[in-house]
Structures are given as structure tokens and as C-alpha cells.
Amino acid sequence: MSRHCLNCDGSAALTRFENEVATIEHAGLSAIVENLSGWRCAACDEVEFDADSAARYAASGDALVLRDRERQRKELRRIRRKLGLTQVAAARLTGGGHNAFSRYERGEAVPLPAVANLFRLLDKHPELLKELG
Ligand SMILES: [Zn+2]
């Protein structure tokens, strides 16, 4: 069976691979997905997983994103409490509406990087909180 790459010019042949292991990384977290099979382009390295491998690879990536969000959520709550802020006061500081922090901490919304970064800075330098309105 001969297949051709749809990613480059279409003339490069794909070669079969079986039983490979991939490491997926996201935000400093990593997961290992085993027993992957599919086709790889020798010219551009594009990979086309078999359906089962593609589904497991995607699920693993999704799980990493969820783990990262869970971690961010707990970190945000820990820092807010450390700073002695209510959810409403924290939301007043960062915008996004008075329910914003409640929604972040329940995982119903993902804070902008600016919010996460500000709280990370305040975690290291809590004395700077008094500089903020
Ligand atoms: Zn290619």
C-alpha cells in the first residue's frame, strides 16, 4: 500500500510505523502515549496516526490541558487567600466582572495570562499589593 503526504508536495511516500512511544508536553507537564501506529512522511516528518492512536494521543493532550487548568485554579486560590483577598476583591483588582474569580476557581472560566502572571508576582512580592488600586 502506497500513501503520499498531503502536507508537502504530495509526492513523498509515507512510511509505516508501529508501536512507537510519544511524549506530549504542555506547560511543564508531560504524558507518555504508548503503542502508537500510523504513517510518517520522510520529507517533512508529518505524522498521520491511525484512528485509535490519534484518539489516544488527543485524549492524552486534553488530559494534560485539564491537569494544567486544575493546577492553575488551585494556585490562583492559594495566592488570593495568602493575600487576604475575597474573590470579589480579587476580581475588582483584575477586572472581568465581580464573579470572575469565583468562575476561575470553579474552573468555569480560564483567566487571561495577565491575571495569572499578576498573581504569580504578588505571590513572590505580596507587599506590592498595597501599590494597586
Ligand atoms: Zn510531507
Side-chain angles (χ1 to χ4, degrees):
M1 182 177 176
S2 174
R3 297 167 62 126
H4 293 276
C5 181
L6 300 176
N7 191 49
C8 41
D9 65 5
S11 62
L14 299 177
T15 54
R16 184 75 191 156
F17 64 88
E18 305 273 351
N19 204 22
E20 283 194 1
V21 176
T23 302
I24 303 178
E25 299 192 344
H26 174 79
L29 301 169
S30 66
I32 291 170
V33 192
E34 297 181 319
N35 197 24
L36 294 167
S37 59
W39 299 83
R40 175 177 289 112
C41 174
C44 73
D45 259 355
E46 176 77 359
V47 165
E48 191 182 308
F49 287 125
D50 293 340
D52 170 69
S53 291
R56 288 185 298 108
Y57 190 90
S60 226
D62 291 347
L64 274 189
V65 169
L66 291 179
R67 264 173 63 200
D68 177 45
R69 285 191 189 158
E70 171 79 16
R71 191 177 64 172
Q72 278 186 35
R73 206 160 93 186
K74 288 181 172 163
E75 188 187 29
L76 212 56
R77 184 175 53 214
R78 176 187 63 75
I79 297 168
R80 177 182 60 76
R81 287 177 173 168
K82 170 180 168 178
L83 296 170
L85 295 170
T86 62
Q87 289 182 332
V88 170
R92 203 176 298 130
L93 203 61
T94 56
H98 71 284
N99 281 333
F101 257 73
S102 155
R103 298 181 66 225
Y104 300 153
E105 292 181 15
R106 279 181 297 165
E108 293 173 8
V110 177
L112 288 173
V115 174
N117 287 331
L118 175 66
F119 269 65
R120 226 170 277 141
L121 281 178
L122 288 171
D123 188 26
K124 292 220 166 112
H125 306 282
E127 74 281 2
L128 292 178
L129 182 61
K130 68 178 187 308
E131 305 287 338
L132 304 174

